[in-house]
């Protein structure tokens, strides 16, 4: 199939950037979206045009590196699918496709479709851990954890940190990302000791990074390639109240 | 851990949301109580006027209620504006192509419906409470020694333009509530997705109910289902 | 140079304990005076960086991804082994050790493997304490499963995302240290050279992948945890960014490279669908429990699968290995698929694939049971291929998955360059010629959490710190070389992209040094690779400059190293004139097509010393001594 692509091109963080139009020729149904871009990049290189820079790594939907907004939807139209696992059979010959980077003040564009997501790492550094050093931990079975709690914690822990929730949110809020980590630990006994500090500090860091606030659009859940539920945002809200009510 | 102390409750991102949710919940409560009062117009002139007088005679309680309501509104408006400003600045460059998957029109327009509601509330208070717009209401003859709220309302809604304005107004309120109702449960920590889904439906239903019930009064006046006691204007 | 593995004396079970006692310690107050560089932030690198920082050392950690959380350990699906014996089914440290040695076809070091089995139990404790949500039973205790044909249930798992959860555990520990300033993290930074001063590893030269700036970092020890080299085949289950550059650059600076020909092929991957293919996706091997593998009996049979009658199908694994059938080991299953395709009986549009058919299982157990067992995998298959495996048989084909070879290290995980330590998949140490399922995660975390924190202390205490800084001429020289190389890439001005060279190299390696190798093929590869390398250096096309984010340039550097590395890999495969584990030399097989080891002549680690580009590396042999286990031959008939 042949496609018309409108792609965001931006030399570096200081460049203003703009949409450019390219033709993608002889695209096979079986290609993944990123393989389609690989082919386009080879075609561009032939014409001495700089290839489109985009983030990708595992290409199997787990590393969270790929980050394209396809026709206004992070990771494209398929639910529960990262863009590296989106295949071209979901498009038709002659389609026009808009490809843009994640858009958020906290995720500045570094080049073309590549953004800086280090804000997520800083949020994690503010409390996304259990403070245990290596060694000296009790036997793994010393503390039984109800299966239901472990399963719920795992539902939250499935987050791949790609940032699609931020890209999808009309407010560029990172609540789904933060709530996934806060909830994972809130459901586990290991997370109890730092439960109150964790939620306050991670949320404070989120705010400091310049992400927006949650206004319950639920766009994040729809865009999340791991289909993480907004119930974890509700859970985090509860954790926040709990932390404020139960002073130390 | 971050070196700076976390912001205070009312400045924290979730804190602001919780304030919005709680004040919003109370305002919805007021909207419903207010509606119950208004609907007494269908029972008749005497009932409505007695109800109005009872409220007016509550004295200190009345003022406490008014001040509380004002505070709810001010907090709701203030935090709403702050949230909106922060949210706008969180995305300085917008998408060339925008797609909505899950968000409703109501959720995306809360700040606009909210702003219009503020404007209408101001008009409404000056219209029916302070009587600024229509000083002539003050000279309505007393009925059984009471101020004739019943006639005032019918007089007010007999003007099609004002009636239409009120219908739009309650439409906006209902639209605002259609997102607000379920949203406040999410903000206050409801972690059952199935229940949230049902609450979203219920919120829409409630919004329709509020709209239809409120709008029924000007419509009834225009349709001459309820009329002035004398039968004419 | 004689290779000294520095294996402690004494009985096997006491070696690690006595070694820990005999090693020198660094005074707690002095720890902050020692610097460590960790390259790579996967299970091995992330856990090492976090743990060293907890101990008080000054740590700098580097990764090419935008966040340490994205290292390819994240993609491991199945699980992690540990000799906990929670299931009371006869597991023990010794059994895990023995299974690992046997699985590695007697080509790994006893002492290292035993230590791995020993510390495996601590890993699970550590991960649970970090909040890793492992699968649990209703009683709240940890669940286990048997994995990869093991006779005991010793595999811990977190749905199909065990690697992700373990990595996020290590990442959370790392990020905590970053937050308190104990680790300085350098994401999107690629190591391009190792700096050796007076025979000791003293630092690295890196490129900032955003600005293109080349800079140096000095330390008292350098730790490489940069993963495997599976992408030498271009198509593999590795991430597209995985590369051999860090370990190969270290090799060029004097670190010996051990057993590069030991590459593991995974039998159940989704086949390539066209030339544009950028990677292969692994499907859990558990599918073979219920799926039947077959190809048409007739060559070039183009009929759709359901039109091929039962008696015209060849269920070749069931035919050749009646007792194991479709569950035959990874290497046997892989090679049989290749044989069928080489014979012209492959299926699918490219004719490189075999059917994995669930129709019998669905008829027997019902669709619901199959959906319950494999629903996620079936969905993933359909997402990628657009075919519904409930109705049409899946198509599978083997792909490169893991590399057992790596930089040679001694018992302390120190390479032949003093002060250079190598962890995880990047070293060669524990898996021999083949790796057991669910053991890669175990080894990465064992090295990072529980081995290097001890052995590096001993190294520091014995060799002391020094005042070598990045102003030293060796650093300047290395930086200049890196800059020069970048300039060279940009100045060739040819016609072909780095990707096209990488694809071509991959084809050569897969053809001649892939699942099955023979002398003639390897010699052919050894002729073709230098030619391709010449083409690369004369016809490469790179757009843009070195002073910006330039993905073409990044790739060029990696492909250039693969083009040299591949040659060494072929030399190793040629030298190892036996079959063992995943290394299958067609000349050495039993009547049944089984690998035939030659323990008399090849029970050694082949450690290669760099002698210059294009010249054959020098072979050093570390004899493998088995004091506790006896050589045995496996049989799957």
């Amino acid at each position: 199939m042949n496609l018309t692509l409108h792609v965001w091109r931006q030399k570096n963080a200081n460049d203003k950037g703009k949409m450019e139009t390219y033709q993608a020729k002889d695209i096979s149904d079986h290609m993944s979206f990123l393989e389609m871009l690989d082919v386009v990049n080879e075609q561009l290189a032939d014409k001495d045009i700089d290839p489109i820079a985009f983030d990708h790594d595992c290409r199997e939907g787990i590393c969270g590196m790929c980050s394209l907004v396809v026709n206004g939807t992070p990771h494209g139209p398929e639910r529960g699918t990262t863009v590296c696992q989106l295949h071209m059979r979901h498009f038709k010959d002659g389609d026009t496709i808009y490809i843009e980077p994640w858009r958020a003040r906290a995720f500045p564009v570094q080049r073309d479709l590549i953004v800086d997501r280090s804000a997520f790492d800083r949020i994690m550094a503010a409390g996304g851990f259990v403070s245990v050093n290596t060694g000296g931990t009790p036997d793994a079975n010393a503390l039984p954890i109800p299966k239901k709690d472990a399963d719920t914690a795992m539902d939250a822990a499935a987050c791949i940190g790609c940032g699609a929730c931020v890209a999808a949110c009309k407010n560029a809020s990172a609540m789904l990302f933060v709530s996934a980590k806060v909830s994972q630990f809130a459901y586990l006994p290991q997370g109890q000791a730092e439960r109150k500090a964790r939620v306050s500090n991670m949320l404070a860091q989120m705010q400091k990074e310049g992400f927006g606030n949650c206004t319950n659009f639920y766009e994040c859940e729809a865009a999340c390639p791991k289909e993480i539920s907004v119930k974890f945002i509700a859970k985090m809200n509860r954790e926040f109240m709990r932390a404020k009510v139960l002073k130390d | 851990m971050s070196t700076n102390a976390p912001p205070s409750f009312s400045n924290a991102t979730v804190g602001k949301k919780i304030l919005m949710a709680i004040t919003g919940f109370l305002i919805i409560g007021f909207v419903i109580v207010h509606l119950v009062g208004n609907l007494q117009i269908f029972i008749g002139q005497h009932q409505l006027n007695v109800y109005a007088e009872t409220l007016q005679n509550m004295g200190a309680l009345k003022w406490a209620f008014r001040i509380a309501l004002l505070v709810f509104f001010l907090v709701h408006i203030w935090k709403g504006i702050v949230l909106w400003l922060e949210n706008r600045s969180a995305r300085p460059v917008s998408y060339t192509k925008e797609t909505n998957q899950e968000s409703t029109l109501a959720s995306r327009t809360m700040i606009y419906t909210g702003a219009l509601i503020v404007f209408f509330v101001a008009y409404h208070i000056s219209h029916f409470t302070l009587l600024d717009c229509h000083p002539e209401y003050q000279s309505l003859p007393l009925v059984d020694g009471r101020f004739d709220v019943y006639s005032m309302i019918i007089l007010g809604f007999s003007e099609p333009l004002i009636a239409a304005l009120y219908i739009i107004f309650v439409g906006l309120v209902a639209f605002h509530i259609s997102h607000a109702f379920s949203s406040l449960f999410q903000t206050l920590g409801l972690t059952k997705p199935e229940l949230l889904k049902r609450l979203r439906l219920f919120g829409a239903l409630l919004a329709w109910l509020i709209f239809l019930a409120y709008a029924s009064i000007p419509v009834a006046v225009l349709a001459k289902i309820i009329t002035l006691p004398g039968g004419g204007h | 140079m004689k290779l000294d593995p520095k294996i402690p004396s004494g009985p096997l079970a006491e070696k690690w304990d006595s070694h820990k006692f005999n090693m020198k310690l660094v005074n707690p107050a002095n720890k902050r005076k020692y610097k460590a560089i960790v390259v790579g932030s996967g299970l091995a690198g992330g856990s090492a960086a976090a743990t060293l920082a907890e101990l008080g050392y000054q740590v700098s950690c580097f990764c090419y991804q935008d966040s340490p959380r994205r290292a390819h350990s994240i993609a491991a699906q199945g699980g992690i082994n540990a000799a906990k014996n929670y299931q009371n089914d006869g597991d023990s440290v010794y059994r895990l050790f023995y299974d690992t040695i046997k699985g590695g076809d007697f080509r790994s070091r006893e002492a290292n493997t035993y230590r791995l089995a020993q510390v495996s139990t601590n890993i699970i404790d550590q991960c649970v304490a970090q909040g890793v949500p492992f699968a649990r039973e209703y009683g709240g205790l940890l669940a286990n499963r048997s994995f990869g044909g093991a006779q005991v249930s010793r595999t811990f798992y977190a749905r199909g995302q065990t690697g992700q959860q373990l990595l996020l555990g290590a990442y959370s520990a790392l990020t905590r240290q970053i937050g308190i300033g104990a680790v300085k993290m350098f994401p999107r930074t690629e190591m391009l050279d190792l700096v050796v001063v007076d025979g000791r590893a003293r630092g690295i030269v890196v490129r900032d992948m955003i600005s293109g700036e080349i800079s140096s970092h000095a330390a008292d020890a350098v730790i490489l945890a940069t993963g495997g080299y599976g992408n030498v085949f271009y198509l593999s289950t590795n991430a597209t960014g995985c590369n051999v550059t860090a370990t190969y650059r270290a090799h060029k600076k004097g670190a010996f490279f051990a057993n590069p020909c030991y590459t593991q092929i995974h039998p159940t991957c989704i086949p390539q669908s066209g030339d544009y293919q950028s990677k292969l996706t692994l499907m859990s091997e558990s599918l073979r429990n219920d799926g039947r593998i077959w190809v048409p009996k007739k060559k070039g049979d183009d009929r759709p699968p359901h039109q091929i009658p039962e008696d015209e199908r060849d269920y070749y694994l069931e035919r050749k290995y009646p007792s194991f059938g479709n569950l035959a080991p990874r290497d046997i299953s892989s090679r049989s698929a290749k044989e069928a395709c080489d014979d012209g009986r492959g299926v699918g549009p490219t004719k490189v694939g075999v059917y994995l058919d669930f129709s019998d299982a669905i008829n027997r157990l019902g669709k619901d049971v199959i959906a319950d067992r494999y629903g996620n995998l079936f969905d993933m298959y359909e997402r990628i291929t657009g075919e519904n495996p409930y109705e049409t048989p899946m198509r599978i084909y083997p792909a490169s998955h893991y590399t057992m070879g790596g930089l040679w290290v001694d018992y302390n995980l120190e390479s032949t360059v003093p002060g250079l330590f190598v962890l995880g998949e990047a070293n060669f140490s524990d898996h021999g010629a083949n790796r057991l399922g669910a053991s890669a995660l175990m080894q990465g975390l064992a090295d990072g959490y529980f081995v290097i924190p001890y052995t590096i202390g001993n190294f520091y205490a014995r060799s002391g710190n020094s005042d070598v800084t990045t102003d030293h001429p060796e650093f300047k020289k290395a930086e200049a070389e890196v800059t020069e190389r970048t300039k060279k890439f940009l100045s060739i001005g040819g016609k072909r992209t780095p990707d096209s060279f990488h694809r071509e190299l991959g084809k050569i390696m897969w053809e001649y040094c892939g699942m099955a190798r023979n002398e003639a093929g390897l010699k052919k590869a050894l002729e073709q690779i230098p030619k391709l390398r010449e083409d690369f250096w004369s016809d490469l096309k790179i757009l843009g400059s070195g002073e910006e984010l330039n993905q073409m340039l990044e790739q060029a550097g990696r492909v250039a190293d693969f083009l040299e590395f591949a040659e060494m890999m072929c030399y190793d495969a040629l030298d190892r004139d036996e079959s063992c584990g995943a290394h299958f030399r067609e000349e050495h097989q039993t009547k049944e097509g089984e690998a035939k080891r030659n323990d008399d002549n090849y029970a050694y680690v082949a450690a290669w010393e760099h002698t210059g580009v294009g010249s054959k590396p020098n072979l050093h042999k570390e004899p493998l001594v088995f004091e506790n286990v006896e050589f045995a031959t496996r049989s799957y008939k």
Side-chain angles (χ1 to χ4, degrees):
Chain A
M1 66 175 102
N2 295 317
L3 304 158
T4 304
L5 306 182
H6 297 287
V7 185
W8 182 261
R9 300 305 304 263
Q10 182 175 339
K11 269 291 218 193
N12 53 51
N14 302 321
D15 183 26
K16 220 170 153 287
K18 61 173 191 293
M19 297 297 283
E20 295 271 8
T21 306
Y22 303 110
Q23 301 302 322
K25 297 207 173 75
D26 303 324
I27 299 303
S28 148
D29 276 12
H30 295 295
M31 286 179 187
S32 71
F33 197 85
L34 301 189
E35 283 164 354
M36 181 275 289
L37 285 180
D38 291 341
V39 169
V40 170
N41 273 344
E42 286 279 331
Q43 292 169 357
L44 291 179
D46 274 347
K47 289 187 247 166
D48 287 336
I49 300 172
D50 280 348
I52 302 159
F54 62 94
D55 264 331
H56 61 94
D57 204 21
C58 78
R59 296 205 179 194
E60 54 182 283
I62 191 75
C63 76
M65 193 94 172
C66 61
S67 45
L68 306 177
V69 175
V70 178
N71 286 336
T73 308
H75 291 304
E78 284 289 292
R79 289 249 173 152
T81 305
T82 54
V83 71
C84 65
Q85 296 241 292
L86 172 67
H87 280 69
M88 295 312 292
R89 67 182 72 90
H90 299 293
F91 297 88
K92 296 189 305 291
D93 186 36
D95 273 359
T96 297
I97 304 176
Y98 289 80
I99 310 173
E100 297 175 76
W102 283 180
R103 292 285 188 204
R105 182 153 67 104
F107 287 166
V109 174
Q110 290 176 313
R111 177 163 197 158
D112 298 344
L113 303 166
I114 294 179
V115 300
D116 177 0
R117 284 171 288 192
S118 54
F120 270 13
D121 290 320
R122 289 188 293 273
I123 292 174
M124 286 291 290
F129 47 77
V130 175
S131 296
V132 287
N133 284 355
T134 303
T137 51
D139 184 85
N141 257 351
L143 199 58
I145 301 175
K147 183 173 163 45
K148 195 169 148 256
D149 290 347
D151 284 348
T152 312
M154 182 60 217
D155 289 341
C159 170
I160 59 174
C162 64
C165 46
V166 174
C169 178
K170 307 285 169 196
N171 306 335
S173 176
M175 287 282 277
L176 193 62
F177 168 78
V178 181
S179 72
K181 199 38 82 177
V182 167
S183 302
Q184 177 194 340
F185 290 137
Y187 282 109
L188 296 174
Q190 288 81 10
Q192 299 309 307
E194 297 161 285
R195 193 168 165 186
K196 284 185 280 176
R198 178 177 301 113
V199 63
S200 300
N201 292 336
M202 288 183 80
L203 280 170
Q205 189 64 32
M206 177 189 111
Q207 216 172 335
K208 211 167 113 188
E209 297 289 348
F211 291 101
N213 306 287
C214 176
T215 54
N216 305 335
F217 290 126
Y218 312 125
E219 290 285 352
C220 52
E221 181 183 277
C224 176
K226 297 294 145 186
E227 300 185 299
I228 290 175
S229 166
V230 293
K231 77 173 180 191
F232 293 120
I233 297 183
K235 171 73 177 170
M236 177 166 69
N237 292 343
R238 223 150 73 181
E239 289 296 302
F240 177 81
M241 286 185 270
R242 186 179 171 280
K244 292 294 165 187
V245 173
L246 304 177
K247 286 276 180 215
D248 292 298
Chain B
M1 296 277 169
S2 69
T3 45
N4 303 0
S8 66
F9 181 90
S10 66
N11 286 322
T13 175
V14 175
K16 280 179 279 203
K17 289 281 305 152
I18 289 169
L19 288 177
M20 288 298 279
I22 292 172
T23 52
F25 179 75
L26 293 168
I27 294 168
I28 291 177
F30 167 72
V31 167
I32 292 169
V33 170
H34 188 340
L35 175 64
V36 171
N38 288 10
L39 288 177
Q40 295 177 50
I41 198 169
F42 288 106
I43 299 176
Q45 186 182 28
H46 178 72
Q47 173 71 25
L48 188 70
N49 288 352
V50 169
Y51 170 71
E53 190 189 44
T54 316
L55 291 185
Q56 286 299 331
N57 290 344
M58 284 168 93
L61 205 62
K62 178 180 84 178
W63 280 105
F65 184 78
R66 280 179 168 172
I67 289 165
L69 197 61
L70 184 70
V71 169
F72 299 157
F73 263 99
L74 287 179
V75 169
H76 198 79
I77 292 165
W78 170 44
K79 287 298 163 192
I81 291 171
V82 171
L83 285 167
W84 179 65
L85 288 174
E86 286 175 353
N87 294 343
R88 268 167 58 100
S89 83
R91 173 160 298 137
V93 183
S94 52
Y95 292 107
T96 308
K97 182 150 171 87
E98 284 261 4
T99 304
N100 303 312
Q101 290 199 90
E102 201 59 43
S103 61
T104 56
L105 183 64
S107 70
R108 294 192 301 270
T109 51
M110 291 301 272
I111 187 74
Y112 308 111
T113 50
L116 288 170
I117 289 167
V118 170
F119 170 76
F120 271 115
V121 165
Y123 169 73
H124 176 54
I125 291 172
S126 104
H127 186 198
F128 282 146
T129 309
L130 303 175
L131 312 181
D132 291 340
C133 310
H134 299 272
E136 70 273 16
Y137 293 164
Q138 275 164 9
S139 49
L140 279 173
L142 298 183
V143 178
D144 303 333
R146 297 186 189 92
F147 180 67
D148 190 6
V149 173
Y150 183 80
S151 299
M152 176 181 79
I153 289 173
I154 293 173
L155 278 174
F157 287 159
S158 298
E159 292 175 45
L161 195 67
I162 290 178
L165 225 53
Y166 268 92
I167 292 169
I168 293 170
F169 172 38
V170 294
L172 287 170
V173 171
F175 197 55
H176 199 83
I177 288 174
S178 74
H179 170 68
F181 183 75
S182 64
S183 184
L184 73 89
F185 287 96
Q186 164 75 13
T187 300
L188 294 176
L190 179 92
T191 54
K192 303 240 180 315
E194 315 74 42
L195 191 54
L196 182 67
K197 216 180 222 168
R198 254 178 273 165
L199 284 171
R200 285 178 81 172
L201 205 70
F202 184 79
L205 218 66
L206 179 74
W208 273 108
L209 211 70
I210 286 174
F211 171 66
L212 292 175
Y214 265 112
S216 69
I217 298 168
V219 167
V221 171
L222 285 180
K224 305 223 173 359
I225 294 167
I226 39 179
T227 51
L228 284 175
H233 286 249
Chain C
M1 176 176 177
K2 196 184 168 313
L3 289 169
D4 179 8
K6 297 185 184 152
I7 296 166
S9 56
L12 186 63
E14 287 161 30
K15 283 181 194 290
W16 180 231
D17 281 341
S18 68
H19 189 57
K20 280 197 282 190
F21 178 73
N22 289 325
M23 282 190 286
K24 285 182 84 174
L25 298 173
V26 179
N27 180 302
N30 283 336
K31 283 194 174 124
R32 63 188 161 74
K33 294 180 186 157
Y34 291 95
K35 283 187 196 159
I37 281 173
V38 180
V39 187
S41 64
L43 287 183
S47 58
T51 306
L52 294 181
E54 287 162 8
L55 288 171
Y57 299 113
Q58 286 184 53
V59 180
S60 299
C61 183
F62 299 79
C63 71
Y64 74 79
Q65 296 90 347
D66 72 331
S67 161
R69 69 177 292 150
R70 306 204 198 282
H72 198 57
S73 308
I74 206 161
Q77 297 169 0
I80 176 166
N81 287 332
K84 281 284 196 186
N85 192 31
Y86 280 159
Q87 304 308 319
N88 197 29
D89 58 356
D91 199 12
S92 64
V93 167
Y94 197 87
R95 187 176 295 282
L96 176 55
F97 152 74
Y98 183 76
D99 287 355
T100 307
I101 288 274
K102 188 170 170 234
D105 225 4
F106 302 90
R107 290 295 175 265
S108 50
R109 232 185 248 149
E110 271 189 349
N112 285 56
T113 307
Y114 191 85
R115 176 178 63 190
L116 174 67
Q118 262 179 315
V119 301
S120 68
T121 58
N122 303 84
I123 295 172
I124 304 302
D125 300 343
Q126 186 64 35
C127 295
V128 166
Q130 287 170 345
V132 170
F134 282 119
R136 286 179 183 266
E137 306 289 357
Y138 282 102
L141 300 184
L142 290 157
N144 289 118
R145 59 186 171 199
S146 151
F147 196 81
Q151 308 277 16
V152 292
S153 291
R154 62 160 77 102
T155 304
F156 294 78
Y157 60 99
R159 299 210 179 126
Q161 293 131 273
T162 317
Q164 180 202 24
Q165 292 311 312
L166 296 175
L167 181 65
L168 293 182
Y171 163 73
S172 71
L174 173 61
T175 213
R176 172 170 157 246
Q177 297 303 315
I178 295 170
I180 56 179
V183 173
K184 202 157 166 16
M185 186 70 216
F186 297 85
R188 289 208 202 264
T189 306
E190 186 164 27
M191 167 180 161
L192 293 180
D193 214 348
L194 177 76
V195 181
V196 180
V197 179
D198 301 330
R200 180 173 158 188
R202 279 297 183 183
I204 57 173
V205 176
V206 298
R207 179 173 181 272
D208 178 326
M209 292 158 77
I210 301 296
S211 68
E213 191 195 343
I214 308 282
S215 64
S216 293
H217 297 263
D220 301 298
V222 176
I223 297 168
L224 298 186
T226 52
Y229 47 86
N231 273 349
V232 70
F233 296 109
Y234 186 76
L235 287 178
S236 79
T237 63
N238 283 8
T240 47
C242 293
N243 65 80
V244 77
T245 290
T247 46
Y248 189 71
R249 299 261 123 203
H251 170 64
K252 286 179 95 167
K253 286 289 172 87
F256 291 3
F257 210 108
N259 303 333
C261 78
Y262 292 161
T263 56
Q264 188 178 61
I265 308 295
H266 197 287
T268 51
C269 299
I270 300 176
Q272 185 176 359
S273 67
D275 285 335
Y276 48 80
Q277 189 97 16
S278 59
K279 85 153 271 155
L280 296 169
T281 304
L282 183 143
M283 304 280 290
S284 167
E285 231 175 326
S286 62
L287 288 169
R288 292 201 281 147
N289 289 328
D290 285 306
R292 295 180 71 196
I293 294 171
W294 63 276
V295 291
K297 281 185 178 162
K298 207 167 72 190
K299 289 183 187 186
D301 194 334
D302 277 331
R303 287 173 292 176
H306 61 271
Q307 286 177 14
I308 301 177
E310 206 51 39
D311 60 349
E312 293 182 41
R313 300 177 177 190
D314 179 13
Y315 294 90
Y316 57 84
L317 284 178
E318 297 172 18
R319 173 172 58 81
K320 293 201 278 190
Y321 306 96
S323 68
F324 269 74
N326 296 298
L327 289 171
R330 286 181 175 181
D331 50 330
I332 289 177
S333 167
S334 298
R335 278 198 304 276
S336 301
K338 179 175 165 25
E339 278 162 25
C341 295
D342 289 350
D343 193 31
R345 298 187 292 144
V347 301
T350 56
K351 300 283 166 213
V352 184
V354 299
Y355 288 126
L356 178 61
D357 196 336
F358 287 87
S359 49
D360 280 0
I362 290 172
N363 289 338
R364 191 176 68 244
L365 304 164
K367 194 179 159 184
D368 290 348
V369 175
I370 295 300
D372 193 47
R373 285 184 193 167
Y374 310 113
N376 286 346
L377 294 165
F378 278 33
D379 291 349
M380 178 168 93
Y381 181 84
E382 188 170 3
R383 197 179 298 146
I384 292 171
T385 62
E387 290 172 13
N388 178 352
Y390 293 103
E391 283 155 16
T392 316
M394 279 185 180
R395 287 174 294 110
I396 55 162
Y397 199 65
S400 158
H401 178 54
Y402 184 88
T403 57
M404 282 73 67
L407 288 179
W408 184 91
V409 289
D410 61 18
Y411 190 71
N412 297 317
L413 304 182
E414 190 174 6
S415 72
T416 53
V417 176
L420 177 70
F421 294 81
V422 191
L423 320 184
E425 192 180 351
N427 74 25
F428 88 104
S429 73
D430 297 349
H431 305 298
N434 209 351
R435 179 181 62 79
L436 293 181
S439 278
L441 302 180
M442 171 174 71
Q443 187 224 338
L445 290 179
D447 288 359
Y449 283 136
F450 298 110
V451 180
I452 192 73
Y454 293 89
T455 61
I456 206 168
N458 182 48
F459 170 78
Y460 286 144
R462 286 175 191 279
S463 15
N465 57 0
S466 82
D467 45 10
V468 173
T469 68
T470 54
D471 295 328
H472 192 280
E474 282 298 328
F475 276 96
K476 296 298 149 205
K477 200 175 122 205
E479 270 183 41
E481 278 167 13
V482 166
T483 311
E484 193 47 46
R485 196 157 175 258
T486 306
K487 274 196 195 134
K488 202 165 166 196
F489 286 135
L490 290 161
S491 66
I492 297 169
K495 290 196 180 60
R496 291 179 60 185
T497 59
D499 204 52
S500 77
F501 286 106
H502 195 174
R503 280 174 204 268
E504 193 175 335
L505 174 68
K507 278 191 186 136
I508 296 172
M509 294 305 284
W510 186 243
E511 183 63 28
Y512 300 118
C513 200
M515 272 182 275
R517 296 123 184 212
N518 61 52
E519 188 182 339
L522 289 165
K523 286 186 169 159
K524 208 178 269 177
L526 283 168
E527 280 169 28
Q528 291 182 3
I529 296 165
K531 277 193 202 133
L532 183 62
R533 198 164 56 223
E534 257 174 56
D535 287 353
F536 175 86
W537 285 105
S538 60
D539 199 18
L540 179 70
K541 176 179 197 168
I542 304 289
L543 296 168
S545 75
E547 289 82 42
E548 61 185 331
L549 196 166
N550 189 335
Q551 292 179 316
M552 263 182 133
L553 182 65
E554 291 161 15
Q555 202 187 359
R558 295 168 191 169
V559 176
D561 290 328
F562 273 129
L563 281 166
E564 293 178 19
F565 169 79
E567 211 174 341
M568 175 170 60
M569 192 169 144
C570 293
Y571 277 123
D572 186 44
L574 191 60
D575 169 76
R576 190 163 287 280
D577 197 12
E578 64 158 353
S579 294
C580 60
H583 169 65
F584 189 77
R585 281 286 298 267
E586 287 166 351
E587 301 93 323
H588 303 286
Q589 50 182 311
T590 63
K591 284 206 305 292
E592 297 85 23
E594 283 268 8
K596 210 162 114 189
R597 272 195 338 254
N598 179 345
D599 296 325
D600 293 338
N601 297 319
Y602 290 96
Y604 63 75
V605 176
W608 298 90
E609 180 187 7
H610 184 70
T611 55
V613 178
S615 93
K616 190 182 172 191
N618 271 345
L619 174 63
H620 298 261
K621 295 177 185 175
E622 179 205 332
L624 289 167
V625 184
F626 294 93
E627 294 169 337
N628 297 276
V629 298
E630 281 178 23
F631 289 117
T633 307
R634 59 179 194 173
S635 171
Y636 295 98
K637 271 285 159 178

